[in-house]
Amino acid sequence: MEKKFFKTTLFVGAISSLSYLIIIFIRNYNNPIYIEERCTVKFQKDVKKGAGKSDEEWGSNMDIASENYFECLKIP
Protein backbone atom coordinates (compact mmCIF):
# COMPACT_ATOMS: atom_id res chain seq x y z
CA MET A 1 0.00 0.00 0.00
CA GLU A 2 2.83 2.42 0.84
CA LYS A 3 4.53 1.74 -2.47
CA LYS A 4 1.37 2.53 -4.45
CA PHE A 5 0.84 5.77 -2.51
CA PHE A 6 4.47 6.79 -3.15
CA LYS A 7 4.16 6.13 -6.91
CA THR A 8 0.88 8.03 -7.12
CA THR A 9 2.30 10.98 -5.18
CA LEU A 10 5.41 11.03 -7.36
CA PHE A 11 3.31 10.91 -10.55
CA VAL A 12 1.00 13.74 -9.41
CA GLY A 13 4.02 15.82 -8.34
CA ALA A 14 5.75 15.31 -11.70
CA ILE A 15 2.64 16.28 -13.68
CA SER A 16 2.07 19.34 -11.48
CA SER A 17 5.68 20.47 -11.84
CA LEU A 18 5.61 20.01 -15.61
CA SER A 19 2.36 21.95 -15.89
CA TYR A 20 3.77 24.78 -13.78
CA LEU A 21 6.90 24.99 -15.94
CA ILE A 22 4.83 25.08 -19.14
CA ILE A 23 2.66 27.91 -17.76
CA ILE A 24 5.75 29.93 -16.79
CA PHE A 25 7.33 29.37 -20.22
CA ILE A 26 4.21 30.47 -22.09
CA ARG A 27 3.80 33.55 -19.89
CA ASN A 28 7.41 34.62 -20.48
CA TYR A 29 7.35 33.72 -24.18
CA ASN A 30 4.34 35.96 -24.78
CA ASN A 31 5.71 38.85 -22.72
CA PRO A 32 5.97 41.99 -24.94
CA ILE A 33 9.55 42.66 -23.81
CA TYR A 34 10.72 39.23 -24.94
CA ILE A 35 8.72 39.45 -28.18
CA GLU A 36 10.51 42.70 -29.01
CA GLU A 37 13.90 41.15 -28.22
CA ARG A 38 13.21 38.15 -30.49
CA CYS A 39 12.06 40.42 -33.31
CA THR A 40 15.11 42.68 -32.93
CA VAL A 41 17.46 39.70 -33.19
CA LYS A 42 15.67 38.51 -36.34
CA PHE A 43 15.87 42.04 -37.79
CA GLN A 44 19.61 42.22 -37.09
CA LYS A 45 20.15 38.87 -38.84
CA ASP A 46 18.21 40.12 -41.88
CA VAL A 47 20.25 43.34 -41.96
CA LYS A 48 23.52 41.38 -41.84
CA LYS A 49 22.42 39.41 -44.92
CA GLY A 50 22.49 42.64 -46.94
CA ALA A 51 25.97 43.71 -45.87
CA GLY A 52 28.46 44.12 -48.72
CA LYS A 53 25.86 44.25 -51.48
CA SER A 54 25.01 47.05 -53.87
CA ASP A 55 22.86 49.95 -52.69
CA GLU A 56 19.82 48.70 -54.57
CA GLU A 57 20.08 45.18 -53.16
CA TRP A 58 20.79 46.55 -49.68
CA GLY A 59 17.72 48.82 -49.90
CA SER A 60 15.47 45.94 -50.94
CA ASN A 61 16.88 43.77 -48.13
CA MET A 62 16.22 46.59 -45.64
CA ASP A 63 12.62 46.89 -46.88
CA ILE A 64 12.10 43.16 -46.45
CA ALA A 65 13.80 43.20 -43.03
CA SER A 66 11.66 46.10 -41.78
CA GLU A 67 8.47 44.45 -43.09
CA ASN A 68 9.42 41.23 -41.31
CA TYR A 69 10.19 43.18 -38.12
CA PHE A 70 6.80 44.90 -38.06
CA GLU A 71 5.08 41.62 -38.95
CA CYS A 72 6.91 39.95 -36.07
CA LEU A 73 5.69 42.67 -33.69
CA LYS A 74 2.20 42.27 -35.17
CA ILE A 75 2.06 45.89 -36.31
CA PRO A 76 0.04 46.28 -39.52
Side-chain angles (χ1 to χ4, degrees):
M1 186 72 163
E2 258 182 54
K3 194 172 186 179
K4 186 176 181 181
F5 177 73
F6 179 73
K7 284 184 179 181
T8 305
T9 305
L10 187 63
F11 180 72
V12 169
I15 296 297
S16 298
S17 299
L18 185 63
S19 299
Y20 182 70
L21 289 174
I22 289 172
I23 290 169
I24 289 173
F25 173 77
I26 290 173
R27 186 182 312 151
N28 286 338
Y29 188 79
N30 291 327
N31 190 339
I33 295 169
Y34 297 121
I35 291 172
E36 186 176 348
E37 286 179 13
R38 284 194 309 270
C39 294
T40 302
V41 169
K42 288 179 185 178
F43 176 75
Q44 289 172 350
K45 286 180 183 177
D46 288 343
V47 169
K48 287 180 183 177
K49 288 179 186 176
K53 295 187 178 180
S54 69
D55 289 341
E56 189 173 304
E57 290 179 50
W58 185 82
S60 65
N61 282 341
M62 283 301 295
D63 290 340
I64 292 170
S66 63
E67 286 176 16
N68 291 340
Y69 179 72
F70 289 127
E71 183 179 311
C72 181
L73 290 176
K74 300 196 183 346
I75 297 175

